[in-house]
Amino acid sequence: MPEPAIQLACHHCGQLHRKPKLRRRERASCVRCGTVLLQRGKLNVSAWLALSIAALWVFLIANIMPFATLSSTGMSRSATFLEAVRVTWEQGFPLVALMCLMVGFAIPLLQLLMTSWILFFLGIKKYPYGLRTFARWIWFLKPWSMIPVFMLGVLVAVVKLADMASLEPEPGLWAFVALTFLLTFLNKLSSRKIWSLAQETGVVNDLPVDSQQAPFVLACEVCSQVTMHHEAEGKCSRCNTHVHYRKPKHKSRTLALLAAAVVFYIPANLYPIMVIETLLGSSNHTILGGVLQLWELGSWDLALIVFIASVVVPITKIIIMLVLYINDKSGQHIHMDPQSGQGPNQAG
Ligand SMILES: [Zn+2]
Ligand SMILES: [Zn+2]
């Protein structure tokens, strides 16, 4: 009977490893797929805390200062991000306004507040109140914080409006630029990284597991703790997040989502994205038409970014997902064969 040990599962392929002890600037990779499992980077808790507090201040500046002044035919108007959201709502686009408010304001703010809260307590070597809940929320909200996407939208609008109206950048816009870089960097601070910083600080521990104790070895996506279960799903023994071997009906789910993505991608490219009307003329463009227009206006760099972000990336993702789906032999059912190391003996 093997002794309980600290186990670590690869978050990409599920391969189990005995957790190594790393020194600063060392990293450990998965023996099967090469994914970096653990890394003791250059930044410690105080450095991360300084970055997140800086991001909070820049966020404040970005939202109280006006970000642009639009002048056309003798009239000019400047607005902050939140005023722009309000105007969008009043113009009859409540859904767009709500979406902008969530992904450009509420979610990034919530993420920054929760991250700073946790890091502050780790900085004074105390267990952060609400660590389990906040880390789970940080993990859940991560894909929905889209300040860089907002920045790209602003840049496109500036170039497209250039010949109809003049758009003067204001301090708020520069704060948004700085925030884009800060948030992109802070995005490296995943919930797994937060738990691993908490461990380095000594306020939480890994729980040892005996991998022969139950047929299912389930790894937590939020804190990376490995938990033994008699069933294909359960709760993480450390942070109480729902863990599962496979998402129920994962093949049908993947196919449904993939089909929906393809179905929506077609009209997204065939129909115009928006129509801009002013006294001096109107313009409407599809995504590709917009890319061509940006190119003709001389902004080839912006045209390239928009082309990569809205054509190359989605199509590549769809193709890769299709190839993985076709090659996936795992099926809907889990075959229990702990001896060969196939099936449940690898973490889900
Ligand atoms: Zn792996
Ligand atoms: Zn967990």
Side-chain angles (χ1 to χ4, degrees), residues 221 232-234 242-255 257 331-334:
E221 286 177 82
E233 54 189 316
H242 185 78
V243 286
H244 44 74
Y245 177 69
R246 287 262 187 217
K247 278 206 169 127
K249 299 195 170 66
H250 72 281
K251 284 204 85 167
S252 352
R253 262 184 202 229
T254 309
L255 190 63
L257 286 169
Q332 293 285 23
H333 302 287
I334 299 152

Side-chain angles (χ1 to χ4, degrees), residues 6-166:
I6 306 289
Q7 304 273 5
L8 186 67
C10 171
H11 49 270
H12 271 178
C13 75
Q15 177 69 42
L16 268 185
H17 303 78
R18 226 166 225 274
K19 191 172 180 179
K21 279 214 161 31
L22 296 184
R23 284 183 297 235
R24 205 152 278 287
R25 299 193 186 196
E26 274 185 340
R27 67 177 177 192
S29 307
C30 171
V31 290
R32 182 160 63 180
C33 73
T35 301
V36 175
L37 299 172
L38 268 184
Q39 189 165 22
R40 284 200 65 174
K42 290 172 216 153
L43 299 188
N44 58 15
V45 172
S46 331
W48 283 114
L49 179 61
L51 267 171
S52 64
I53 291 176
L56 265 175
W57 277 110
V58 176
F59 186 91
L60 191 74
I61 297 170
N63 280 287
I64 46 178
M65 306 289 270
F67 72 84
T69 303
L70 186 73
S71 346
S72 173
T73 56
M75 294 197 299
S76 80
R77 179 167 197 181
S78 66
T80 62
F81 177 75
L82 290 179
E83 276 164 9
V85 168
R86 185 179 54 86
V87 172
T88 312
W89 181 289
E90 284 170 1
Q91 300 277 322
F93 301 101
L95 214 63
V96 178
L98 214 63
M99 240 165 66
C100 289
L101 187 69
M102 292 309 287
V103 302
F105 182 82
I107 293 176
L109 178 62
L110 210 63
Q111 261 187 322
L112 280 175
L113 286 175
M114 290 189 294
T115 310
S116 307
W117 172 268
I118 295 175
L119 290 170
F120 168 75
F121 280 99
L122 294 184
I124 55 169
K125 301 213 179 321
K126 288 259 176 349
Y127 180 86
Y129 178 77
L131 171 66
R132 299 199 296 184
T133 313
F134 291 156
R136 206 176 310 138
W137 273 98
I138 289 171
W139 168 79
F140 178 73
L141 292 177
K142 199 178 170 193
W144 298 103
S145 169
M146 297 188 188
I147 296 242
V149 179
F150 165 73
M151 266 322 294
L152 191 61
V154 170
L155 285 176
V156 172
V158 169
V159 174
K160 287 191 77 152
L161 288 173
D163 53 346
M164 292 186 244
S166 86

Side-chain angles (χ1 to χ4, degrees), residues 195 219-225 227 236-241 243:
W195 273 93
C220 176
E221 286 177 82
V222 175
C223 78
S224 71
Q225 169 68 41
T227 307
C236 168
S237 56
R238 182 161 68 168
C239 78
N240 214 30
T241 300
V243 286

